[in-house]
Amino acid sequence: MRLLLGFIVVAALLVLPLLAPKLERNTALQEYREQVGAKTIQSKHGKTRYQTWGNPNNPTVILIHSFNGYLETWQPNVDALAAAGFHVVAYDLFGRGLSDRPLRPYTPPLFHEQLDSLRAELGLTNPVHLVGSSFGCVLASDYAVKNPSAVSSLVLTGPAGWPDGQEKLQQLVKTPFAGEYVFYYAGKSILSSKISNYLLNREENDWAMAYWKVYGQFPGVTRAALSTLRHSPVLDNTRGWSALGKTSLPVMMIWGRQDSSFPYYNAKIAARQIPQAEIIGIDGAEHWVNIDQAEETNTAMIRFLQAQR
């Protein structure tokens, strides 16, 4: 009997990660969105939560958060951008925050369709400025390269996509079943620990972790993270950065000098691959430089964006 029970337990542990996507229910997510009065749009692949600030007749800046982020990570920046004369839009990427977690590969086209739908819903027909954080920089850059007439400029804060000894993680997520098991049983712990590493001034910015604890409770977060690692150039965007460097698009890159996720020494590579980029290093800042050193980041962003008008 014990042997049989042991076999059943082991079988359940092996099967659960593979069945989990089919067992997900988004009822709690929908109820929470209604509870907090979240604004959403419906597109082909699901609902997107968004917020806006400033005069909609002003030039638009769209903020695209990081791999492990949500729109609130831009809280230290939105008021300054709106006060500087910009219409500011932030939203949750699919699989993050209070946006849906669609059951499909998390490829750049999926995220681009989400951005297209948001622009259409808000009537943003003129070129926009895109501001990204980490993986959001990868998405913003790829979107700009593929839609050059739709983007006026790029601001890339703590950009991801610089390969540097992360082959083991890449191999893990590409290995069939191994990624599913690791992310099902340990994914939330892995993602949660990353948040604290994104910030140098952790005690001052504990609100960032508080948001993640709320949003991370809804199903699909770890599945979306794994799929994004598998199907998007989070860790290695070498081709994408080279493609951006062949355009004439104005680019500013803002890096925390203490960034441990994609270290500041990658700025030397960026300068070669994206020769038109203005690159700024900021002391006292980790990966989320826009939070750690918000005032300095805001000053640099606003100066650059106003020059593109």
Side-chain angles (χ1 to χ4, degrees), residues 94-173:
F94 281 138
R96 284 87 176 163
L98 296 179
S99 286
D100 279 350
R101 293 89 158 94
L103 288 166
R104 59 182 302 108
Y106 281 62
T107 60
L110 172 70
F111 293 114
H112 294 342
E113 185 274 335
Q114 184 184 23
L115 180 53
D116 282 335
S117 297
L118 180 64
R119 292 184 62 208
E121 176 72 16
L122 298 179
L124 303 177
T125 56
N126 292 327
V128 298
H129 304 281
L130 296 181
V131 176
S133 170
S134 189
F135 175 56
C137 300
V138 173
L139 293 178
S141 172
D142 189 57
Y143 186 88
V145 169
K146 291 180 171 60
N147 303 275
S149 63
V151 180
S152 296
S153 71
L154 290 173
V155 176
L156 310 175
T157 69
W162 308 95
D164 184 17
Q166 303 182 77
E167 293 80 5
K168 290 184 179 179
L169 178 58
Q170 291 176 316
Q171 189 60 42
L172 171 64
V173 299

Side-chain angles (χ1 to χ4, degrees), residues 22 24 29 47 52 65 77 88 96 111-112 141 161 181-182 186 203 222 234-235 240 246 268 274 281 291 302:
K22 296 181 180 179
E24 287 178 12
L29 176 60
K47 289 184 178 180
T52 64
H65 66 69
N77 317 110
V88 184
R96 284 87 176 163
F111 293 114
H112 294 342
S141 172
Y181 290 118
V182 170
E203 293 184 2
T222 56
V234 181
L235 303 178
K246 294 175 182 177
K268 294 181 179 179
I274 313 167
I291 297 178
I302 291 168

Side-chain angles (χ1 to χ4, degrees), residues 16-299:
L16 270 176
L18 305 180
L19 293 179
K22 296 181 180 179
L23 300 176
E24 287 178 12
R25 298 289 182 271
N26 66 0
T27 305
L29 176 60
Q30 179 59 35
E31 289 177 350
Y32 188 79
R33 284 194 296 230
E34 293 174 358
Q35 177 184 331
V36 299
K39 293 181 179 179
T40 62
I41 65 161
Q42 178 71 51
S43 64
K44 179 180 178 181
H45 298 299
K47 289 184 178 180
T48 295
R49 179 184 65 139
Y50 72 95
Q51 285 184 244
T52 64
W53 299 260
N55 188 336
N57 294 319
N58 291 343
T60 297
V61 174
I62 299 181
L63 308 174
I64 308 177
H65 66 69
S66 64
F67 174 87
N68 206 18
Y70 30 85
L71 69 79
E72 282 87 1
T73 57
W74 297 109
Q75 280 185 354
N77 317 110
V78 291
D79 288 341
L81 287 167
F86 293 99
H87 174 225
V88 184
V89 179
Y91 66 103
D92 290 330
L93 293 171
F94 281 138
R96 284 87 176 163
L98 296 179
S99 286
D100 279 350
R101 293 89 158 94
L103 288 166
R104 59 182 302 108
Y106 281 62
T107 60
L110 172 70
F111 293 114
H112 294 342
E113 185 274 335
Q114 184 184 23
L115 180 53
D116 282 335
S117 297
L118 180 64
R119 292 184 62 208
E121 176 72 16
L122 298 179
L124 303 177
T125 56
N126 292 327
V128 298
H129 304 281
L130 296 181
V131 176
S133 170
S134 189
F135 175 56
C137 300
V138 173
L139 293 178
S141 172
D142 189 57
Y143 186 88
V145 169
K146 291 180 171 60
N147 303 275
S149 63
V151 180
S152 296
S153 71
L154 290 173
V155 176
L156 310 175
T157 69
W162 308 95
D164 184 17
Q166 303 182 77
E167 293 80 5
K168 290 184 179 179
L169 178 58
Q170 291 176 316
Q171 189 60 42
L172 171 64
V173 299
K174 291 179 180 179
T175 302
F177 307 119
E180 278 79 3
Y181 290 118
V182 170
F183 273 75
Y184 181 80
Y185 290 111
K188 287 188 179 180
S189 296
I190 293 171
L191 296 176
S192 177
S193 67
K194 287 289 185 181
I195 294 287
S196 61
N197 291 334
Y198 292 160
L199 294 164
L200 199 63
N201 303 315
R202 298 172 190 174
E203 293 184 2
E204 296 177 17
N205 299 304
D206 57 356
W207 56 268
M209 175 60 77
Y211 277 114
W212 196 93
K213 288 180 178 177
V214 173
Y215 302 150
Q217 70 180 310
F218 300 112
V221 171
T222 56
R223 171 179 55 79
L226 175 61
S227 183
T228 306
L229 285 170
R230 281 180 169 168
H231 299 291
S232 292
V234 181
L235 303 178
D236 186 351
N237 189 45
T238 302
R239 291 184 180 180
W241 295 133
S242 295
L244 177 61
K246 294 175 182 177
T247 72
S248 59
L249 189 70
V251 179
M252 169 178 275
M253 306 184 90
I254 304 175
W255 235 299
R257 290 182 183 272
Q258 287 73 40
D259 192 329
S260 60
S261 297
F262 296 94
Y264 180 59
Y265 57 70
N266 285 297
K268 294 181 179 179
I269 303 172
R272 293 195 299 270
Q273 291 188 324
I274 313 167
Q276 78 270 34
E278 177 186 352
I279 301 176
I280 295 176
I282 296 181
D283 281 317
E286 241 283 357
H287 192 45
W288 279 353
V289 58
N290 66 295
I291 297 178
D292 265 337
Q293 296 296 337
E295 185 174 351
E296 195 169 346
T297 300
N298 292 339
T299 298

